[in-house]
């Protein structure tokens, strides 16, 4: 059971974050907007979170409309801030960028505000995921008992502030999380799942236990020296490519929220690119290295082996 003072810390941090976001919103409303460009994506409807994504239609918004959408997006922390038909398991994304004119004082203040917001976001995530001491499956009840309707995916998401890059281009990234693991690590994970005594739909508790036992047997039967990898696909996400001409350097960033760009010189505004519709059938790779051949061992864990095996 979480400590009483931990719950107070949670509520206080969430309240401070709301206040910090409101202050940032006011400041961004006052600053002169030089150019704004954001791209709204179709919402993820409840029940479709795990459907494969092959196409995404993008709608562009410019100027003050882009600013208003961005400010609403930053402050979307609770379910009440969005339609009840939108999934709470998938974060709402709004890629793009807002470029503001800022003198030295405004520049310093905005950097301070963004830093404070990101500190509070990190603190909120730490309270929920670390300080609570709760396993991932128990965190939902803890959060929604004390902060009903909190959208943790939105709350944790940091705000990116840039100082006068030369250009900001947008695109799509479709990658995989790849992690080397040992048979011993997987056995420990499966034994922990078995000991927990829970079930996953559509299986009963007994059926689920039997399934996990089969997975354990498959891992334990691996020959000595077998190498294992988790290759978990990550759904396509918007990215921004930041170009710095002076350093001749390009930086690629995830772009789930509009980037904030400060321009000390109104005559030197970064070139903002366009985010095109995503179509999985028409992706061209500049270079795609040949992947190591792997065999699927446990589908639900995205666990692969470096030699032919019987699937669990």
């Amino acid at each position: 059971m979480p400590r009483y003072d931990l719950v107070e810390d949670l509520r206080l941090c969430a309240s401070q974050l709301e206040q910090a976001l409101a202050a940032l919103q006011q400041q961004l409303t006052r600053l002169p907007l030089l150019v704004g460009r954001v791209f709204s994506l179709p919402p993820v409807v409840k029940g479709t979170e795990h459907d494969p994504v092959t196409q995404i239609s993008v709608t562009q918004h410019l100027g003050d409309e882009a600013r208003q959408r961005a400010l609403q997006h930053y402050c979307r922390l609770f379910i009440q801030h969005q339609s009840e038909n939108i999934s709470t398991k998938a974060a709402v994304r709004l890629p793009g960028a807002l470029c503001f004119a800022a003198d030295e004082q405004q520049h310093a203040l905005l950097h301070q505000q963004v830093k404070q917001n990101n500190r509070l976001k990190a603190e909120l995530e730490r309270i929920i995921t670390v300080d609570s001491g709760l396993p991932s499956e128990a965190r939902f009840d803890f959060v929604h008992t004390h902060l009903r309707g909190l959208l943790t995916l939105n709350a944790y998401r940091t705000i990116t502030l840039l100082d006068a890059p030369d250009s900001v281009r947008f695109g799509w990234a479709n990658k995989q999380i790849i992690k080397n693991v040992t048979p011993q690590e997987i056995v420990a994970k499966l034994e922990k799942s078995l000991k927990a005594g829970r079930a996953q739909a559509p299986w009963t508790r007994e059926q689920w236990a039997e399934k996990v036992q089969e997975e354990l047997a498959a891992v334990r039967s691996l020959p000595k020296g077998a190498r294992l990898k988790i290759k978990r696909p990550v759904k396509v996400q918007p990215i921004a490519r930041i170009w710095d001409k002076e350093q001749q350097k390009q930086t690629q960033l995830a772009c789930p929220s509009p980037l904030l760009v400060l321009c000390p010189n109104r005559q030197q505004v970064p070139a903002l690119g366009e985010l095109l519709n995503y179509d999985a059938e028409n992706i061209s790779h500049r270079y795609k290295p040949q992947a190591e051949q792997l065999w699927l061992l446990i589908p639900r864990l995205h666990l692969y082996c470096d030699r032919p095996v019987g699937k669990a």
Side-chain angles (χ1 to χ4, degrees):
M1 187 72 178
R3 312 184 314 268
Y4 174 78
D5 57 345
L6 182 75
V7 173
E8 287 300 299
D9 290 346
L10 176 68
R11 288 175 173 159
L12 177 61
C13 185
S15 175
Q16 290 175 334
L17 177 57
E18 284 191 280
Q19 293 171 23
L21 284 168
L24 177 64
Q25 187 179 43
Q26 290 178 359
Q27 176 67 4
L28 294 176
T29 301
R30 289 193 292 262
L31 283 179
L33 179 67
L34 301 177
V35 60
R37 197 173 201 180
V38 302
F39 310 92
S40 57
L41 313 180
V44 178
V45 178
K46 285 182 178 178
T48 66
E49 299 89 354
H50 302 297
D51 292 356
V53 177
T54 58
Q55 292 188 328
I56 300 175
S57 298
V58 175
T59 303
Q60 179 177 250
H61 308 277
L62 303 172
D64 279 329
E65 183 187 359
R67 168 159 47 185
Q68 290 306 314
R69 284 178 174 269
L71 297 185
Q72 291 171 5
H73 178 80
Y74 294 138
C75 296
R76 186 184 285 114
L77 294 182
F78 292 89
I79 292 173
Q80 302 91 302
H81 297 160
Q82 65 183 36
S83 166
E84 61 181 16
N85 296 321
I86 297 177
S87 171
T88 58
K89 298 178 182 178
V92 176
R93 293 182 168 92
L94 186 73
L98 302 176
C99 301
F100 295 96
D103 58 28
E104 286 188 18
Q105 185 177 359
Q106 293 166 333
H107 177 278
L109 176 59
L110 201 60
H111 269 273
Q112 180 184 1
Q113 288 180 314
V114 169
K115 185 177 180 179
Q116 181 188 17
N117 271 282
N118 288 339
R119 179 186 62 78
L120 289 167
K121 286 170 172 287
E123 183 180 338
L124 187 68
E125 183 175 10
R126 191 196 70 240
I127 291 171
I128 294 170
T129 63
V130 179
D131 295 353
S132 70
L134 296 171
S136 56
E137 61 269 17
R139 292 173 196 155
F140 179 89
D141 289 339
F142 167 64
V143 170
H144 292 278
T145 296
H146 305 292
L147 287 176
R148 185 168 297 278
L150 180 70
L151 298 166
T152 53
L153 291 173
N154 295 15
Y156 298 165
R157 182 191 281 153
T158 58
I159 298 170
T160 300
L161 178 61
L162 303 172
D163 290 321
D166 291 285
S167 68
V168 181
R169 309 291 182 188
F170 301 98
W172 297 99
N174 200 345
K175 298 182 178 180
Q176 291 182 322
I177 292 176
I178 300 177
K179 179 183 178 183
N180 293 317
V181 291
T182 66
Q184 292 78 15
E185 288 173 327
I186 300 300
V187 165
K189 180 183 181 71
L190 293 174
E191 286 179 339
K192 184 178 179 180
S193 175
L194 200 60
K195 188 177 179 181
R198 298 186 181 92
Q200 288 192 18
W203 293 279
T204 64
R205 186 173 297 182
E206 292 74 19
Q207 289 171 332
W208 182 250
E210 185 178 344
K211 180 176 175 61
V212 175
Q213 289 282 16
E214 291 172 357
E215 293 170 343
L216 270 168
V219 176
R220 285 170 172 156
S221 67
L222 290 173
K224 188 176 181 180
R227 292 187 296 111
L228 298 178
K229 280 188 180 182
I230 290 176
K231 288 182 62 177
R232 181 165 61 84
V234 178
K235 284 192 176 180
V236 63
Q237 62 175 327
I239 58 167
R241 299 184 182 93
I242 317 301
W243 175 248
D244 186 315
K245 184 177 180 181
E246 184 176 337
Q247 297 186 35
Q248 289 291 295
K249 179 182 178 182
Q250 177 176 279
T251 304
Q252 181 171 299
L253 302 172
C255 192
S257 301
L259 308 175
L260 298 177
V261 179
L262 296 184
C263 304
N265 186 344
R266 289 172 177 256
Q267 307 305 315
Q268 295 181 354
V269 180
L272 298 187
E274 184 178 357
L275 180 65
L276 302 177
N277 293 343
Y278 173 74
D279 185 353
E281 298 299 320
N282 292 301
I283 297 176
S284 58
H285 298 276
R286 292 182 183 176
Y287 171 68
K288 189 174 182 180
Q290 187 172 354
E292 174 190 13
Q293 185 172 8
L294 297 170
W295 285 265
L296 186 59
L297 179 62
I298 301 179
R300 72 178 182 91
L301 297 180
H302 306 285
L303 183 68
Y304 291 79
C305 187
D306 66 342
R307 59 198 69 188
V309 291
K311 202 184 294 185

